[in-house]
Amino acid sequence: MHDLKWIRDNAAAFDEGLRRRGLTAQAAAILEADERLRRLQTEIQTWLTRRNEASRRIGALKGQGAEAEALKAEVGDLKERIRLAEGEIATRGEDIESQLATIPNLPLSDVPEGPDESANVELRRVGQPRAFDFMPQSHDAIGRALGLMDFEAASQISGARFVVLKGALARLERALAAFMLDLHTGEFGYTEVSPPILVRDQALYGTGQLPKFAEDLFRTRDDYWLIPTAEVPLTNLARERILDDTALPLRLTALTPCFRSEAGAAGRDTRGMIRQHQFYKVELVSITTPEQSADEHERMTACAETVLKRLGLPYRVMLLSTGDMGFAAAKTYDIEVWLPAENTYREISSCSNCGDFQARRMKARARPMGSRQQTRFVHTLNGSGLAVGRTLVAVIENYQEADGTITVPEALRPYLGGLARIEP
């Protein structure tokens, strides 16, 4: 959510931020509606003052005589005007809030401008892709050949974009999740949380998925939503709270199933596990002060990168352009892992700094040290640490052998009882 007062004082900068996002100017329309609202509020104050004066005069006249009757009629008329105006104020206020709720966050100044992923900037590459002495197979071909990855059974149960993992691959998926959680909690100081995966409207509104992206979500018949990411419940833990600056940053992590309808991905990645309706993800969320958020963004990205380093998976880090960022993000780093079968890098994590955009929607504040009354909005950050299914894909493809087996990365063997190779 955007600060209306900031828009009043910085209309040109607001429109410039929207232009960089590829959107048309909206400050004038917002401020015109705001001006009408404030004029109405001023009129109400004038009417309230006159009503109170008339009421006092009626009391002085002891409610008797022609003048008192005329004043009573005036008070009645003023009450009705005020009632109608207050209803109009509520409606106009809701209209302005609804308009602001559909406008994405403004990009930070160092975000590259561009219409889409073509304008993203590569910051670094880590690790050298493996040179195979055979033609590398796709993860789904390997999984099928092992008899441990069943898309047909999943289709019969649930339809397209689902998978059934069996045996060692199911165990490998579980090992990856446990490894990530142990790393983030044991070395990086995140607190593990087991949150609800069914949430109400206001939780998704707070993080920016609603109202604009409802079609990308799954909803139950009794008005719950299945979470698209643990960012939603974790970030909403700060909802309508006043935190203490000295307790920040607050770092949270969770392993949850995630559910996305992938409505905008028709025809893309229809084979394999890259784009599923249901998948596991280890999420990282930080609640910080405004002064901490830039450094926390770099730290969070480094935490996610460490997972790939420990697993020996080549990757690169991209700074997303204004046209490729998510709705709530002010700045985003994508981490892309190397997939040999596709001979390219694919996204495995997005780490975003949302500034105070989500906090305003959630009314999440912090009190600076030494202040008893003053509060300010916190900054929120979120990132994948990592998407478990895509990490499984990367391990299968990068650690495949010519005979169709998979070598288990050293870091995961303790989670698999010492298993070093996955065979049919």
Side-chain angles (χ1 to χ4, degrees):
M1 184 67 74
H2 295 283
D3 181 3
L4 191 53
K5 182 180 184 303
W6 187 89
I7 297 174
R8 291 189 203 119
D9 298 337
N10 302 274
F14 181 74
D15 282 343
E16 172 61 12
L18 294 183
R19 185 200 65 76
R20 295 187 68 217
R21 275 276 199 171
L23 301 173
T24 58
Q26 299 192 45
I30 293 169
L31 294 180
E32 182 181 353
D34 176 53
E35 180 60 29
R36 290 197 301 267
L37 179 62
R38 290 197 289 162
R39 282 201 303 268
L40 198 55
Q41 290 170 331
T42 300
E43 287 181 357
I44 285 181
Q45 289 302 316
T46 301
W47 295 337
L48 284 170
T49 299
R50 176 54 190 159
R51 187 195 67 184
N52 293 338
E53 290 174 351
S55 296
R56 285 194 294 271
R57 181 62 181 156
I58 291 170
L61 294 171
K62 298 183 179 180
Q64 305 297 319
E67 183 180 355
E69 292 302 317
L71 288 170
K72 289 177 183 178
E74 182 182 2
V75 167
D77 178 64
L78 288 169
K79 284 182 177 179
E80 181 62 12
R81 285 193 205 177
I82 292 168
R83 184 186 69 81
L84 293 173
E86 286 176 340
E88 186 176 352
I89 282 177
T91 299
R92 288 182 182 273
E94 290 172 0
D95 289 344
I96 292 173
E97 183 169 338
S98 295
Q99 184 177 1
L100 290 173
T102 63
I103 300 174
N105 202 353
L106 302 183
L108 294 179
S109 59
D110 59 342
V111 174
E113 185 174 338
D116 50 38
E117 62 185 18
S118 64
N120 295 348
V121 175
E122 182 177 317
L123 300 180
R124 56 187 172 273
R125 293 191 182 196
V126 178
Q128 183 67 33
R130 175 183 169 187
F132 289 88
D133 56 7
F134 61 92
M135 181 63 69
Q137 300 296 304
S138 67
H139 68 279
D140 53 306
I142 298 167
R144 289 175 193 270
L146 289 169
L148 303 177
M149 189 179 291
D150 195 335
F151 294 95
E152 290 72 23
S155 180
Q156 289 179 340
I157 297 167
S158 304
R161 297 191 188 274
F162 291 93
V163 66
V164 172
L165 298 178
K166 303 174 184 178
L169 283 189
R171 193 178 179 191
L172 181 60
E173 181 184 49
R174 176 161 53 93
L176 281 166
F179 166 70
M180 293 175 193
L181 287 174
D182 286 350
L183 181 63
H184 295 313
T185 58
E187 294 192 27
F188 300 138
Y190 285 85
T191 298
E192 185 174 353
V193 178
S194 179
I197 61 172
L198 292 171
V199 297
R200 295 292 194 187
D201 292 15
Q202 63 266 27
L204 288 158
Y205 177 84
T207 47
Q209 282 83 8
L210 290 181
K212 197 167 185 180
F213 304 102
E215 66 177 16
D216 297 330
L217 307 172
F218 287 106
R219 191 175 194 175
T220 69
R221 291 184 178 180
D222 52 355
D223 293 332
Y224 287 105
W225 299 82
L226 292 167
I227 62 168
T229 163
E231 169 201 345
V232 177
L234 292 182
T235 309
N236 272 275
L237 290 175
R239 181 184 184 84
E240 296 178 5
R241 292 181 59 193
I242 298 178
L243 304 170
D244 194 324
D245 263 9
T246 58
L248 303 179
L250 183 64
R251 299 183 178 119
L252 308 171
T253 186
L255 166 68
T256 65
C258 303
F259 305 89
R260 299 183 187 176
S261 71
E262 299 290 357
R268 292 183 59 194
D269 300 313
T270 55
R271 293 182 56 188
M273 291 180 58
I274 290 294
R275 198 175 294 274
Q276 299 265 286
H277 289 313
Q278 173 188 323
F279 57 94
Y280 286 99
K281 183 155 67 79
V282 172
E283 185 72 3
L284 305 175
V285 162
S286 293
I287 312 294
T288 77
T289 65
E291 295 81 10
Q292 295 167 330
S293 66
D295 288 341
E296 187 69 13
H297 193 196
E298 303 299 325
R299 182 187 190 277
M300 176 180 284
T301 305
C303 292
E305 287 183 71
T306 301
V307 176
L308 295 173
K309 290 177 181 178
R310 298 284 176 89
L311 293 174
L313 295 172
Y315 68 91
R316 67 179 183 178
V317 179
M318 308 291 291
L319 174 59
L320 297 196
S321 72
T322 55
D324 200 30
M325 288 196 308
F327 179 82
K331 182 178 181 180
T332 298
Y333 296 124
D334 264 12
I335 304 173
E336 299 179 349
V337 70
W338 177 256
L339 296 185
E342 297 187 27
N343 196 39
T344 191
Y345 292 93
R346 295 297 300 267
E347 178 201 336
I348 198 168
S349 173
S350 282
C351 295
S352 297
N353 186 350
C354 299
D356 65 4
F357 184 82
Q358 293 177 326
R360 289 181 180 279
R361 297 168 79 101
M362 296 186 303
K363 298 179 175 60
R365 296 175 176 269
R367 180 176 286 109
M369 184 173 59
S371 174
R372 292 186 176 181
Q373 296 182 336
Q374 180 186 6
T375 63
R376 56 182 179 169
F377 289 106
V378 297
H379 279 201
T380 63
L381 302 94
N382 64 80
S384 307
L386 303 163
V388 179
R390 291 196 176 190
T391 309
L392 178 65
V393 167
V395 168
I396 292 171
E397 293 198 5
N398 283 277
Y399 282 91
Q400 63 179 293
E401 303 300 340
D403 61 0
T405 62
I406 304 166
T407 299
V408 176
E410 291 280 354
L412 297 178
R413 293 180 187 180
Y415 296 88
L416 293 164
L419 181 68
R421 186 178 298 271
I422 296 174
E423 301 174 335

